[in-house]
């Protein structure tokens, strides 16, 4: 899974870098709190000894198939050094990888262009992971604008990455969830259970 880890790390670091150079917007999206999007099918997976992870700053929770690992990431930007904690879990035998991260930007929310931030995160992830964008759609979560993007590695064509990114404009805070499958199959129940279990507190 070393190649998957490289994809994850580069795309996360790039997201941090690309979303730091943003322009002013007049409208700030309201912060809305709703429950996660769990279905009965997903709950079955969570009942099977899944690990309930709470962010160190207590801002979100998410379920992993097992206890995840943590990796500190940092990148130099025009805003200074930005730091994030990447939380990840991999199925070595299944060649699948799950990760989540968040970062709050040290900027005035009124000076933050959410759509440009999402565009930058998308483009940066594709460029620095040496991947092409297979599909993209706009999504929202708890009132946060976001994107769901599928990327395919140019180096290893069977490797695909499903990226869900959301920005809370009131922070502004970027949330990123990723699922990587080295066999290219992203449509498996554990992936949906992981993604839909994410809850901002």
């Amino acid at each position: 899974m070393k190649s998957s880890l490289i994809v994850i790390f580069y795309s996360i670091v790039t997201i941090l870098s690309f979303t730091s150079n943003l322009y002013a917007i007049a409208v700030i999206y309201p912060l809305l709190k709703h429950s996660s999007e769990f279905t009965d099918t997903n709950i079955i997976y969570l009942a099977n000894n899944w690990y309930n992870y709470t962010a160190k700053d207590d801002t979100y929770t998410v379920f992993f198939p097992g206890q995840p690992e943590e990796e500190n990431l940092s990148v130099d930007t025009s805003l200074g050094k930005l730091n994030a904690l990447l939380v990840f879990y991999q199925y070595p035998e299944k060649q699948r990888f799950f990760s989540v991260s968040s970062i709050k930007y040290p900027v005035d929310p009124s000076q933050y262009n959410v759509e440009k931030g999402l565009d930058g995160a998308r483009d940066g992830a594709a460029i620095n992971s040496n991947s092409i964008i297979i599909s993209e759609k706009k999504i929202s979560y708890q009132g946060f604008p976001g994107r769901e993007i599928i990327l395919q590695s140019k180096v290893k064509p069977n490797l695909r990455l499903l990226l869900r990114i959301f920005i809370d404009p009131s922070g502004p805070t970027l949330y990123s969830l990723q699922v990587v499958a080295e066999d290219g199959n992203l449509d498996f129940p554990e992936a949906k259970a992981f993604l839909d279990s994410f809850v901002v507190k």
Side-chain angles (χ1 to χ4, degrees):
M1 288 295 288
K2 184 176 181 181
S3 58
S4 299
L5 292 171
I6 291 173
V7 169
I8 289 291
F9 292 158
Y10 272 108
S11 60
I12 286 290
V13 169
T14 303
I15 285 171
L16 301 185
S17 177
F18 270 66
T19 56
S20 65
N21 300 307
L22 303 166
Y23 302 97
I25 55 172
V27 178
I28 302 300
Y29 293 88
L31 175 63
L32 301 176
K33 298 293 184 181
H34 299 294
S35 61
S36 64
E37 303 172 358
F38 269 122
T39 65
D40 291 340
T41 301
N42 289 340
I43 291 173
I44 293 174
Y45 287 94
L46 299 186
N48 190 24
N49 299 317
W50 277 43
Y51 186 90
N52 186 1
Y53 178 85
T54 300
K56 290 188 179 299
D57 60 2
D58 201 39
T59 56
Y60 69 84
T61 62
V62 66
F63 283 86
F64 284 92
Q67 184 170 354
E69 300 178 58
E70 298 176 339
E71 178 83 11
N72 289 307
L73 303 177
S74 65
V75 62
D76 292 319
T77 74
S78 60
L79 300 174
K81 185 179 290 292
L82 299 179
N83 300 299
L85 181 67
L86 177 69
V87 185
F88 60 94
Y89 177 84
Q90 62 177 341
Y91 272 129
E93 70 281 3
K94 296 184 179 180
Q95 297 184 316
R96 292 168 179 169
F97 183 95
F98 307 79
S99 75
V100 63
S101 68
S102 69
I103 185 169
K104 184 174 181 179
Y105 292 100
V107 297
D108 186 328
S110 66
Q111 302 299 309
Y112 194 95
N113 186 314
V114 173
E115 290 303 317
K116 287 184 181 296
L118 292 169
D119 287 345
R122 172 203 63 204
D123 296 342
I127 292 169
N128 280 271
S129 64
N130 198 18
S131 300
I132 58 175
I133 298 171
I134 299 299
S135 67
E136 176 184 11
K137 65 181 179 181
K138 290 188 175 182
I139 56 177
S140 65
Y141 174 74
Q142 296 186 190
F144 308 154
R147 307 281 177 84
E148 182 173 283
I149 304 155
I150 294 178
L151 303 170
Q152 178 177 301
S153 170
K154 294 179 182 179
V155 177
K156 192 173 183 179
N158 286 337
L159 188 151
R160 289 193 175 188
L161 183 153
L162 173 60
L163 174 67
R164 279 189 187 176
I165 49 177
F166 308 96
I167 293 178
D168 172 5
S170 69
T173 303
L174 170 73
Y175 297 97
S176 175
L177 295 102
Q178 301 187 71
V179 175
V180 174
E182 289 199 350
D183 63 0
N185 176 24
L186 294 167
D187 186 20
F188 57 97
E190 295 94 333
K192 182 171 177 55
F194 165 71
L195 295 168
D196 291 348
S197 72
F198 179 73
V199 176
V200 175
K201 300 173 72 175

